[in-house]
Amino acid sequence: DEIAVGELASRLKKTGAEVVRQLIKLGVMASVSDVIDYDTAALVAMELGAKVTKEVVVTIEERLIDVSADSEADLVPRSPVVVVMGHVDHGKTSLLDAIRKSDVVSGEAGGITQHIGAYRVQIKGKPITFLDTPGHEAFTSMRARGAMVTDIAILVVAADDGIMPQTVEAINHAKAANIPIIVAINKMDKPGANPERIKQQLTEYGLVSEEWGGETIICPISAKLHQGLDSLLEAVVLTAEMRELKANPKRAAQGTVIEARLDKGRGPVTTVLVQNGTLKQGDVIIAGKAVGRVRAMTDDKGEKLTQAGPSVPVEIIGMSEVPGAGDLFYAVADERMARELVMQRKEEEKAAASAPSHKVTLEDLFSQIQQGEVKELGIIVKADVQGTAEAVKTSLEKLSNPEVRVRVIHSGVGAISESDIMLASTSNAIVVGFNVRPDNAARDSAARANVDVRMYRVIYDCINEMEAAMKGMLSPKF
Ligand code: GDP
């Protein structure tokens, strides 16, 4: 995939010289007649404020399931919803399997466990819901769609490997979502296991072990040998109790779509997590742009249910089409109203696509600060080497002034990834890269979500530009 510089310029409605100048800034020496690759072209387009895809831009807002509208008297405690995060191969899947197998209740019932995207276990009579898809990507992509489903994160760190790049991402994604982190130091059975070293490393990320006077519960475990799981699960129960999670089972159900697929025989099969209210068989529900009547409900043990209360995941059949994971669902009074709502949503989406989005960009940062819309500038830093990432983080945060605080939400090494963009989108942050580029997926989602992505080669340039933007003195783009 290649394009001539001149052709790119005309598609961007810019002059050839403007594009060439932009290319030079990116370190590419090319003239108007030269051909450049798609990656470079997309970067130039992005730098010039253009979208690289023609896809619809959807503005994303965080729509929390809000119980503040329910009267205090109707609220009852609900069980926690937990996500397992951590670096690849540190044992997330093994831990989820081990917890599921250790659930005596399902064992006694002789039920066959079904993979529906989430499952529930009973810990001393107290249920806990686990999301079955580990990792922060799934977690943040749901958040990016406005869903806030998890109450607690378990961070898995392999005792023989320590903190790795995705461990840091997981920590920052959980922090951005404001959910408590419980650390499971896994693979304690391995000869090289060194939990003390990991506890030390964790302090650098603000996770200080309770035994060292901090607030983070750290549990040594072996997912393989099923050791330490009891203490870990008790820590989850304890953390949940402290959060005083509540919901109102008396109202119409609302929650989030966890998974959805098309089954040849049964049509759309959708797993929803009920977050407030009670979902009943026969209810009319709307999820994203799909409507339907709940014909049958099954839990993770394969048992048929007629109703499901808060924090219960159920697989339902009866939707008209397949909704998306992360879509919110609501039970509504009647089907006609549901269809009207869907129409309304489609209209809203159209309107949102043509309306300017309120994402923060360096260009309008100053006016947003002036109007009091921005009190904090969130930044995600990606660099080719750790030293640069650290240096940029420190220098950027020093730019904070009484009007606006500069906060680096995440910094790491490597290409700008889709999960960086999603984190930026949900946190209304901008992304800066040093000698790194966004990968294809990241570029697409940056364009879709209108996230400001800036590439630099020298720290000095970045700091200067940020400082200028904060003072409203950013020189106009060429
Ligand atoms: P994930 O990528 O984080 O989901 O990691 P997996 O659960 O797939 O585990 C990665 C590898 O580590 C697999 O080969 C597991 O068998 C192994 N593993 C997981 N937990 C333990 C453990 O507690 N002890 C040992 N020795 N190996 C483990």
mmCIF file of all heavy atoms in Angstrom, residues 87-94 186-190 221-225, ligand 1:
data_model
loop_
_atom_site.group_PDB
_atom_site.id
_atom_site.type_symbol
_atom_site.label_atom_id
_atom_site.label_comp_id
_atom_site.label_asym_id
_atom_site.label_seq_id
_atom_site.Cartn_x
_atom_site.Cartn_y
_atom_site.Cartn_z
ATOM 1 N N HIS A 87 0.341 -9.920 33.045
ATOM 2 C CA HIS A 87 1.156 -10.155 31.849
ATOM 3 C C HIS A 87 0.864 -11.530 31.259
ATOM 4 O O HIS A 87 0.454 -12.441 31.972
ATOM 5 C CB HIS A 87 2.637 -10.062 32.228
ATOM 6 C CG HIS A 87 3.547 -9.930 31.035
ATOM 7 N ND1 HIS A 87 3.601 -8.779 30.286
ATOM 8 C CD2 HIS A 87 4.422 -10.794 30.463
ATOM 9 C CE1 HIS A 87 4.485 -8.936 29.304
ATOM 10 N NE2 HIS A 87 4.990 -10.150 29.395
ATOM 11 N N VAL A 88 1.070 -11.670 29.970
ATOM 12 C CA VAL A 88 0.827 -12.936 29.292
ATOM 13 C C VAL A 88 1.682 -14.049 29.924
ATOM 14 O O VAL A 88 2.821 -13.813 30.337
ATOM 15 C CB VAL A 88 1.117 -12.800 27.767
ATOM 16 C CG1 VAL A 88 2.580 -12.464 27.499
ATOM 17 C CG2 VAL A 88 0.703 -14.055 27.010
ATOM 18 N N ASP A 89 1.074 -15.202 30.085
ATOM 19 C CA ASP A 89 1.736 -16.391 30.645
ATOM 20 C C ASP A 89 2.011 -16.315 32.147
ATOM 21 O O ASP A 89 2.722 -17.153 32.683
ATOM 22 C CB ASP A 89 3.069 -16.703 29.926
ATOM 23 C CG ASP A 89 2.825 -17.452 28.621
ATOM 24 O OD1 ASP A 89 1.691 -17.946 28.429
ATOM 25 O OD2 ASP A 89 3.760 -17.547 27.809
ATOM 26 N N HIS A 90 1.482 -15.318 32.810
ATOM 27 C CA HIS A 90 1.693 -15.266 34.252
ATOM 28 C C HIS A 90 0.669 -16.108 35.014
ATOM 29 O O HIS A 90 0.791 -16.289 36.220
ATOM 30 C CB HIS A 90 1.719 -13.812 34.751
ATOM 31 C CG HIS A 90 3.048 -13.145 34.536
ATOM 32 N ND1 HIS A 90 3.426 -11.994 35.164
ATOM 33 C CD2 HIS A 90 4.089 -13.509 33.744
ATOM 34 C CE1 HIS A 90 4.658 -11.668 34.779
ATOM 35 N NE2 HIS A 90 5.072 -12.564 33.914
ATOM 36 N N GLY A 91 -0.337 -16.633 34.277
ATOM 37 C CA GLY A 91 -1.246 -17.588 34.896
ATOM 38 C C GLY A 91 -2.675 -17.117 35.106
ATOM 39 O O GLY A 91 -3.384 -17.649 35.967
ATOM 40 N N LYS A 92 -3.139 -16.159 34.306
ATOM 41 C CA LYS A 92 -4.510 -15.641 34.456
ATOM 42 C C LYS A 92 -5.544 -16.740 34.197
ATOM 43 O O LYS A 92 -6.460 -16.953 34.990
ATOM 44 C CB LYS A 92 -4.761 -14.467 33.492
ATOM 45 C CG LYS A 92 -3.832 -13.292 33.692
ATOM 46 C CD LYS A 92 -4.100 -12.170 32.709
ATOM 47 C CE LYS A 92 -3.748 -12.523 31.271
ATOM 48 N NZ LYS A 92 -2.299 -12.656 31.050
ATOM 49 N N THR A 93 -5.366 -17.425 33.058
ATOM 50 C CA THR A 93 -6.317 -18.474 32.684
ATOM 51 C C THR A 93 -6.274 -19.616 33.688
ATOM 52 O O THR A 93 -7.311 -20.134 34.101
ATOM 53 C CB THR A 93 -5.990 -18.993 31.264
ATOM 54 O OG1 THR A 93 -5.792 -17.859 30.419
ATOM 55 C CG2 THR A 93 -7.109 -19.843 30.716
ATOM 56 N N SER A 94 -5.066 -19.976 34.095
ATOM 57 C CA SER A 94 -4.918 -21.056 35.079
ATOM 58 C C SER A 94 -5.614 -20.692 36.381
ATOM 59 O O SER A 94 -6.255 -21.535 37.006
ATOM 60 C CB SER A 94 -3.437 -21.324 35.369
ATOM 61 O OG SER A 94 -2.743 -21.572 34.176
ATOM 62 N N ASN A 186 1.778 -15.420 41.637
ATOM 63 C CA ASN A 186 1.517 -16.792 41.186
ATOM 64 C C ASN A 186 2.830 -17.566 40.949
ATOM 65 O O ASN A 186 3.898 -16.979 40.940
ATOM 66 C CB ASN A 186 0.675 -16.727 39.900
ATOM 67 C CG ASN A 186 0.169 -18.092 39.492
ATOM 68 O OD1 ASN A 186 -0.068 -18.957 40.330
ATOM 69 N ND2 ASN A 186 -0.003 -18.297 38.187
ATOM 70 N N LYS A 187 2.674 -18.847 40.741
ATOM 71 C CA LYS A 187 3.795 -19.767 40.448
ATOM 72 C C LYS A 187 4.768 -19.845 41.623
ATOM 73 O O LYS A 187 5.992 -19.932 41.440
ATOM 74 C CB LYS A 187 4.539 -19.351 39.165
ATOM 75 C CG LYS A 187 3.609 -19.182 37.964
ATOM 76 C CD LYS A 187 4.349 -19.233 36.648
ATOM 77 C CE LYS A 187 3.397 -18.911 35.502
ATOM 78 N NZ LYS A 187 4.030 -19.002 34.167
ATOM 79 N N MET A 188 4.201 -19.782 42.861
ATOM 80 C CA MET A 188 5.036 -19.866 44.052
ATOM 81 C C MET A 188 5.711 -21.233 44.158
ATOM 82 O O MET A 188 6.667 -21.402 44.909
ATOM 83 C CB MET A 188 4.188 -19.609 45.301
ATOM 84 C CG MET A 188 3.832 -18.149 45.511
ATOM 85 S SD MET A 188 5.265 -17.106 45.718
ATOM 86 C CE MET A 188 5.808 -17.652 47.332
ATOM 87 N N ASP A 189 5.186 -22.229 43.418
ATOM 88 C CA ASP A 189 5.794 -23.572 43.449
ATOM 89 C C ASP A 189 7.099 -23.639 42.676
ATOM 90 O O ASP A 189 7.876 -24.569 42.815
ATOM 91 C CB ASP A 189 4.794 -24.578 42.850
ATOM 92 C CG ASP A 189 4.399 -24.209 41.430
ATOM 93 O OD1 ASP A 189 3.651 -23.211 41.249
ATOM 94 O OD2 ASP A 189 4.841 -24.870 40.496
ATOM 95 N N LYS A 190 7.371 -22.639 41.875
ATOM 96 C CA LYS A 190 8.579 -22.675 41.044
ATOM 97 C C LYS A 190 9.837 -22.369 41.854
ATOM 98 O O LYS A 190 9.814 -21.520 42.750
ATOM 99 C CB LYS A 190 8.456 -21.668 39.892
ATOM 100 C CG LYS A 190 7.584 -22.158 38.757
ATOM 101 C CD LYS A 190 8.044 -21.508 37.477
ATOM 102 C CE LYS A 190 7.505 -22.225 36.262
ATOM 103 N NZ LYS A 190 7.983 -21.566 35.030
ATOM 104 N N ILE A 221 0.325 -17.376 45.653
ATOM 105 C CA ILE A 221 -0.508 -18.523 45.259
ATOM 106 C C ILE A 221 0.230 -19.427 44.273
ATOM 107 O O ILE A 221 1.272 -19.063 43.730
ATOM 108 C CB ILE A 221 -1.836 -18.085 44.581
ATOM 109 C CG1 ILE A 221 -1.564 -17.361 43.254
ATOM 110 C CG2 ILE A 221 -2.663 -17.198 45.491
ATOM 111 C CD1 ILE A 221 -2.762 -17.296 42.317
ATOM 112 N N SER A 222 -0.338 -20.599 44.070
ATOM 113 C CA SER A 222 0.066 -21.430 42.933
ATOM 114 C C SER A 222 -1.212 -21.898 42.265
ATOM 115 O O SER A 222 -1.942 -22.707 42.824
ATOM 116 C CB SER A 222 0.897 -22.627 43.396
ATOM 117 O OG SER A 222 0.975 -23.561 42.329
ATOM 118 N N ALA A 223 -1.484 -21.332 41.099
ATOM 119 C CA ALA A 223 -2.711 -21.711 40.379
ATOM 120 C C ALA A 223 -2.607 -23.181 39.991
ATOM 121 O O ALA A 223 -3.589 -23.915 39.996
ATOM 122 C CB ALA A 223 -2.883 -20.840 39.143
ATOM 123 N N LYS A 224 -1.393 -23.618 39.682
ATOM 124 C CA LYS A 224 -1.175 -24.996 39.243
ATOM 125 C C LYS A 224 -1.490 -25.991 40.356
ATOM 126 O O LYS A 224 -2.179 -26.978 40.139
ATOM 127 C CB LYS A 224 0.281 -25.139 38.805
ATOM 128 C CG LYS A 224 0.598 -26.467 38.156
ATOM 129 C CD LYS A 224 2.062 -26.464 37.752
ATOM 130 C CE LYS A 224 2.484 -27.803 37.196
ATOM 131 N NZ LYS A 224 3.943 -27.780 36.932
ATOM 132 N N LEU A 225 -0.998 -25.716 41.558
ATOM 133 C CA LEU A 225 -1.204 -26.644 42.676
ATOM 134 C C LEU A 225 -2.434 -26.282 43.512
ATOM 135 O O LEU A 225 -2.667 -26.879 44.560
ATOM 136 C CB LEU A 225 0.051 -26.681 43.567
ATOM 137 C CG LEU A 225 1.365 -27.035 42.871
ATOM 138 C CD1 LEU A 225 2.526 -27.025 43.874
ATOM 139 C CD2 LEU A 225 1.280 -28.394 42.178
HETATM 140 P P1 GDP B 1 -2.099 -16.457 30.976
HETATM 141 O O1 GDP B 1 -1.474 -16.165 29.663
HETATM 142 O O2 GDP B 1 -1.803 -15.378 31.983
HETATM 143 O O3 GDP B 1 -3.562 -16.792 30.927
HETATM 144 O O4 GDP B 1 -1.323 -17.744 31.572
HETATM 145 P P2 GDP B 1 -1.755 -19.276 31.607
HETATM 146 O O5 GDP B 1 -2.769 -19.509 32.665
HETATM 147 O O6 GDP B 1 -2.073 -19.736 30.233
HETATM 148 O O7 GDP B 1 -0.404 -19.941 32.125
HETATM 149 C C1 GDP B 1 0.810 -19.850 31.394
HETATM 150 C C2 GDP B 1 1.704 -21.020 31.738
HETATM 151 O O8 GDP B 1 2.076 -20.973 33.100
HETATM 152 C C3 GDP B 1 1.031 -22.374 31.523
HETATM 153 O O9 GDP B 1 1.976 -23.266 30.989
HETATM 154 C C4 GDP B 1 0.624 -22.802 32.922
HETATM 155 O O10 GDP B 1 0.583 -24.175 33.068
HETATM 156 C C5 GDP B 1 1.742 -22.180 33.769
HETATM 157 N N1 GDP B 1 1.293 -21.898 35.125
HETATM 158 C C6 GDP B 1 0.194 -21.183 35.497
HETATM 159 N N2 GDP B 1 0.113 -21.133 36.845
HETATM 160 C C7 GDP B 1 1.177 -21.788 37.326
HETATM 161 C C8 GDP B 1 1.648 -22.082 38.661
HETATM 162 O O11 GDP B 1 1.060 -21.717 39.673
HETATM 163 N N3 GDP B 1 2.798 -22.786 38.742
HETATM 164 C C9 GDP B 1 3.504 -23.233 37.668
HETATM 165 N N4 GDP B 1 4.614 -23.896 37.847
HETATM 166 N N5 GDP B 1 3.069 -22.986 36.418
HETATM 167 C C10 GDP B 1 1.933 -22.287 36.251
#
